[in-house]
Amino acid sequence: MKNKRLQRGLLFSFLLTFAFASPLRVIAAEEQITKKLTITAKDEQDYKNQAENAFALKIEENGQKYERSEIRYEITDTTYLDKKYKLVQTNEPTQAITEDGVEYTLMDYYGPKTIDQTVTAYADYDHLVTAADVPGTKEIVVTDEVTGEQKTVTCSLTGVAPSGTTTVDNVMTITFSNYNAAYYDWNGNYIAHNNQTPQLEGYEDQLLAQVGAAPGSVITGYHYAGDPYTIDGVVYRDATATVRQQVPVYRANYEGIFTTQDSDASGTATYSGLDPEGRVELTVTATAMYVPVKDTYVPYILAGAGILVFAVFVVIILMTIAKKRKNKNS
């Protein structure tokens, strides 16, 4: 009976010792986390070195430790820093050309030999004007005989001078009073009533003098200009007379320069483009991947195994002692 109790006690001690010596730990699965960084670099090795230095190998967040598993790279922009140049002989340069995958844009154009042509223009006025009264420039459209294109030339005022005479028609207004009478009054003259046409024949000199017409001017027609109307009990009616007269012409003269190219020569266009084989500036998004750090059980296993061996050794000794006691008592 005593031996059985002793064996049970030893077994219980062994199991208790093993339980404390080999604790089981459960770690919840953690998702990996990422860290991003935008890098400007000159080449692949440059941005990789920058990323390696920027992202730590191990980090800790919210009590969980992580270690870097990899770094992924995405080039989001490429800026070419160097240029290459190209010369083209042409009389009609374009703003851009593409050659061997490189797009060139026009920088300068030195055209062929040019010829300057004088362009003149004028504007006539039927009244007295001075240089201060007229525009200082005048635009005219000319045709380039070499290219066939129409071009606008801005000419500058060179002066104003008399340029003969011209015939103009002016209209003067005549108002008749007492229009409802057998004779109506105009300028102190009594004009016989006529509903169709103003009876002004014979009064031409007075009409011309009233408007200050130049000698040689004539009246070319008369017309009523509306219906009769009453003011303060007096009936009026307006008429018009067309005055044809000679007036002096004042001409504003303009002059400009029209430049055209020599049809027998060609020009040189200089183009520039970004050199894809030269220096570059890369914009890269680097993404570091971090995974959770798992606790290792090797030390615990080794410790548990050592305790287990020790416990078995103790059990064997105790059982040997118990056996000897039993033999001795028997």
Side-chain angles (χ1 to χ4, degrees):
M1 179 65 75
K2 290 182 180 181
N3 290 336
K4 290 183 178 180
R5 289 181 181 177
L6 178 59
Q7 291 176 359
R8 290 175 183 175
L10 290 173
L11 179 60
F12 177 76
S13 299
F14 165 73
L15 294 176
L16 185 63
T17 301
F18 183 79
F20 281 102
S22 303
L24 294 177
R25 299 183 61 187
V26 178
I27 300 178
E30 297 284 350
E31 294 185 356
Q32 66 180 5
I33 61 175
T34 60
K35 300 291 183 179
K36 290 183 179 293
L37 177 66
T38 300
I39 299 172
T40 301
K42 61 182 180 180
D43 53 31
E44 179 180 1
Q45 189 60 49
D46 186 15
Y47 67 69
K48 286 186 175 181
N49 289 341
Q50 291 189 51
E52 291 285 346
N53 293 330
F55 292 121
L57 292 174
K58 295 184 179 181
I59 61 175
E60 182 174 345
E61 288 192 5
N62 301 323
Q64 174 64 52
K65 294 181 180 180
Y66 297 85
E67 62 183 3
R68 194 179 74 198
S69 59
E70 64 174 318
I71 301 177
R72 299 174 183 175
Y73 302 94
E74 179 185 3
I75 299 176
T76 58
D77 186 47
T78 301
T79 301
Y80 298 105
L81 303 179
D82 295 333
K83 290 185 177 181
K84 57 192 316 183
Y85 301 91
K86 186 175 185 63
L87 298 179
V88 178
Q89 299 297 320
T90 178
N91 286 338
E92 298 180 355
T94 58
Q95 290 299 313
I97 59 175
T98 301
E99 187 174 291
D100 297 331
V102 178
E103 183 175 345
Y104 297 88
T105 56
L106 181 65
M107 291 180 57
D108 296 300
Y109 175 68
Y110 296 96
K113 180 182 177 181
T114 58
I115 302 172
D116 291 338
Q117 299 179 359
T118 300
V119 179
T120 59
Y122 63 86
D124 288 340
Y125 299 87
D126 59 6
H127 56 276
L128 177 63
V129 293
T130 66
D133 302 322
V134 299
T137 60
K138 182 178 179 64
E139 291 187 347
I140 62 170
V141 177
V142 298
T143 300
D144 188 332
E145 295 181 357
V146 176
T147 64
E149 297 178 350
Q150 288 189 327
K151 296 183 178 180
T152 301
V153 180
T154 301
C155 300
S156 300
L157 178 68
T158 59
V160 178
S163 182
T165 61
T166 188
T167 300
V168 297
D169 288 337
N170 292 324
V171 177
M172 64 176 295
T173 301
I174 305 162
T175 300
F176 299 114
S177 60
N178 297 318
Y179 177 77
N180 56 340
Y183 290 85
Y184 37 78
D185 179 48
W186 171 74
N187 201 28
N189 301 296
Y190 291 96
I191 310 300
H193 187 92
N194 187 316
N195 286 329
Q196 301 301 320
T197 305
Q199 299 299 307
L200 291 171
E201 292 80 359
Y203 300 99
E204 288 84 0
D205 291 342
Q206 293 185 46
L207 290 168
L208 294 173
Q210 185 175 353
V211 296
S217 301
V218 296
I219 303 293
T220 60
Y222 308 98
H223 302 279
Y224 280 117
D227 296 327
Y229 56 92
T230 302
I231 299 177
D232 296 332
V234 179
V235 180
Y236 298 90
R237 191 173 188 183
D238 296 329
T240 60
T242 302
V243 182
R244 178 168 294 171
Q245 57 183 335
Q246 293 289 320
V247 296
V249 174
Y250 293 88
R251 176 166 292 181
N253 295 297
Y254 297 86
E255 187 175 291
I257 299 296
F258 168 58
T259 302
T260 184
Q261 68 184 31
D262 186 347
S263 59
D264 297 330
S266 62
T268 302
T270 303
Y271 293 86
S272 68
L274 297 176
D275 187 359
E277 297 179 357
R279 295 177 301 120
V280 297
E281 182 179 84
L282 303 175
T283 301
V284 180
T285 299
T287 304
M289 317 297 292
Y290 287 88
V291 295
V293 177
K294 303 297 184 179
D295 288 339
T296 178
Y297 293 99
V298 173
Y300 295 99
I301 294 174
L302 294 177
I307 295 174
L308 176 60
V309 171
F310 176 75
V312 170
F313 180 73
V314 171
V315 169
I316 293 174
I317 292 175
L318 294 177
M319 292 180 66
T320 302
I321 295 173
K323 186 176 181 180
K324 289 181 177 181
R325 287 180 178 178
K326 180 178 179 181
N327 294 332
K328 184 178 179 179
N329 292 331
S330 59

